[in-house]
Amino acid sequence: MSSHLTGARRAAPVGPVRIRRATVADAKRLTAMVRRARAYEGPYAAMVEGYRVGPDYIESHAVHVAVDGGGAALGFYALVLDPPELDLMFVADRAQGLGIGRLLVGHLTGEARRAGIDAVRVVSHPPSEGFYLSVGARRVGTCPANPPAVAWDRPELVLPVAADG
C-alpha cells in the first residue's frame, strides 16, 4: 500500500509483532527513529534535531519497543509513572498505518493500569492529536510554545486507563 504523503511503500512487519522492554542496545535505533521521523520535518525539525534516546534514558524510564519477528523496531513509547505522562511515542515511518500505534497505546494503558494509574497525560505533537483522540484521549488544554525547540502550541490530552483491562 502506498503512503498518500510521500508515495513510499510501507513494509509489512516480518512475522508477529511483540512489545518488549527496551534495552540499552536499542538506544541508537530509537534515536534514529526519532530523528528521521517525517512527522518532524519542516517547521517541526528543531524539536528532534540532536535528540537522543540514550542508554541512561532507557534505564531510568519505562521504555517499550514494538518489534517484528525479525527484530526490526517498528515503534516505541516511554511512560513516566509519576506523574503519569506519555513522554515519547514514535512509530517508524515504514510502519505507519499498520496499527503499531494502537498496539503501543494498548500496551501503555495495560502498563499504566498495572501501576494503579487511571489516566495518562499526553502533550501531543500537533499533527498527532487526531490519532490520540481516535484511541480515546480527550483534549483538556493547550501547552504554550517553548522556543527555541518547541515554537508552536501543543494539544494537551488525557488518555483514560480503563479499570477492567
Side-chain angles (χ1 to χ4, degrees):
M1 109 180 76
S2 295
S3 168
H4 68 282
L5 296 175
T6 65
R9 304 270 308 154
R10 291 188 186 128
V14 175
V17 175
R18 69 182 179 90
I19 299 176
R20 62 167 173 78
R21 185 74 184 244
T23 68
V24 296
D26 293 312
K28 286 183 180 178
R29 65 182 173 165
L30 299 184
T31 295
M33 189 182 303
V34 170
R35 290 183 184 175
R36 294 179 184 150
R38 283 192 312 257
Y40 284 87
E41 291 177 339
Y44 299 115
M47 187 167 178
V48 296
E49 184 178 334
Y51 196 89
R52 180 175 166 265
V53 181
D56 53 336
Y57 183 87
I58 290 171
E59 287 180 335
S60 62
H61 292 81
V63 181
H64 290 83
V65 60
V67 295
D68 68 13
L74 304 171
F76 76 98
Y77 75 87
L79 175 62
V80 174
L81 298 175
D82 188 21
E85 182 171 358
L86 175 62
D87 192 39
L88 296 170
M89 183 172 186
F90 283 82
V91 173
D93 289 340
R94 70 177 187 84
Q96 294 282 328
L98 300 176
I100 304 302
R102 289 181 186 282
L103 188 66
L104 288 168
V105 168
H107 190 272
L108 174 143
T109 57
E111 291 294 303
R113 186 179 314 105
R114 281 185 282 287
I117 295 168
D118 61 2
V120 175
R121 179 178 186 242
V122 177
V123 177
S124 178
H125 178 47
S128 300
E129 179 181 15
F131 167 75
Y132 290 112
L133 293 171
S134 79
V135 295
R138 67 182 182 345
R139 187 159 186 175
V140 295
T142 301
C143 288
N146 186 14
V150 183
W152 58 91
D153 292 345
R154 293 161 294 152
E156 180 179 8
L157 306 108
V158 171
L159 179 64
V161 175
D164 59 355

